[in-house]
């Protein structure tokens, strides 16, 4: 089953493009983050990794064992700027993790194969 979209794809792409062009307002950033989280879930469906970009959104992705209660065993968390840089190719997974910009825990919490889009 594919992920359910809440963000219109064209609106999401427009927000990501605006963010990449320097627009950093909260509504644009929120739309870009939520759109890219939905895009990740669509490209890598599953429930084994939880990706958190507070305060804007969270998604589950990557095929594997499903998590049902408590803290997920595979969690990725970062701020909005880091997330959008990762999905757009502005920074690499290895660089972001190495600089401590991404907290990734669990065996499946490496998103380098999924990013950038």
């Amino acid at each position: 089953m594919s992920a359910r979209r809440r963000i219109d794809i064209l609106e999401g792409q427009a927000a990501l493009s605006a963010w990449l062009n320097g627009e950093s307002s909260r509504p644009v950033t929120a739309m870009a983050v939520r759109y890219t989280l939905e895009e990740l879930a669509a490209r890598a469906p599953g429930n084994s990794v939880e990706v958190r970009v507070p305060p804007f959104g969270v998604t589950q992705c990557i095929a594997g064992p499903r998590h049902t209660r408590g803290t997920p065993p595979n969690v990725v968390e970062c701020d909005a700027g880091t997330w959008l840089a990762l999905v757009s190719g502005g920074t690499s997974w290895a660089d972001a993790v190495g600089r401590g910009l991404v907290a990734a825990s669990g065996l499946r919490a490496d998103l380098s194969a999924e990013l950038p889009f």
Side-chain angles (χ1 to χ4, degrees):
M1 185 170 127
S2 64
R4 192 179 112 216
R5 296 258 187 192
R6 294 182 181 175
I7 304 293
D8 177 79
I9 292 173
L10 294 178
E11 288 180 27
Q13 290 171 340
L16 180 58
S17 179
W19 185 87
L20 289 169
N21 288 315
E23 172 62 55
S24 61
S25 70
R26 185 174 175 88
V28 166
T29 301
M31 175 76 74
V33 167
R34 291 176 184 138
Y35 163 71
T36 55
L37 287 171
E38 286 183 3
E39 188 66 19
L40 174 64
R43 290 174 183 234
N47 296 96
S48 70
V49 178
E50 186 167 289
V51 180
R52 302 171 180 168
V53 184
F56 301 114
V58 61
T59 196
Q60 291 187 352
C61 59
I62 312 293
R66 182 178 178 87
H67 161 74
T68 56
R69 287 188 288 192
T71 301
N74 302 289
V75 176
V76 173
E77 187 167 338
C78 62
D79 64 63
T82 300
W83 174 250
L84 294 173
L86 284 165
V87 300
S88 65
T91 192
S92 71
W93 177 261
D95 184 49
V97 170
R99 293 190 302 146
L101 300 174
V102 172
S105 62
L107 296 174
R108 298 177 188 272
D110 181 347
L111 298 180
S112 60
E114 308 302 330
L115 303 172
F117 293 163

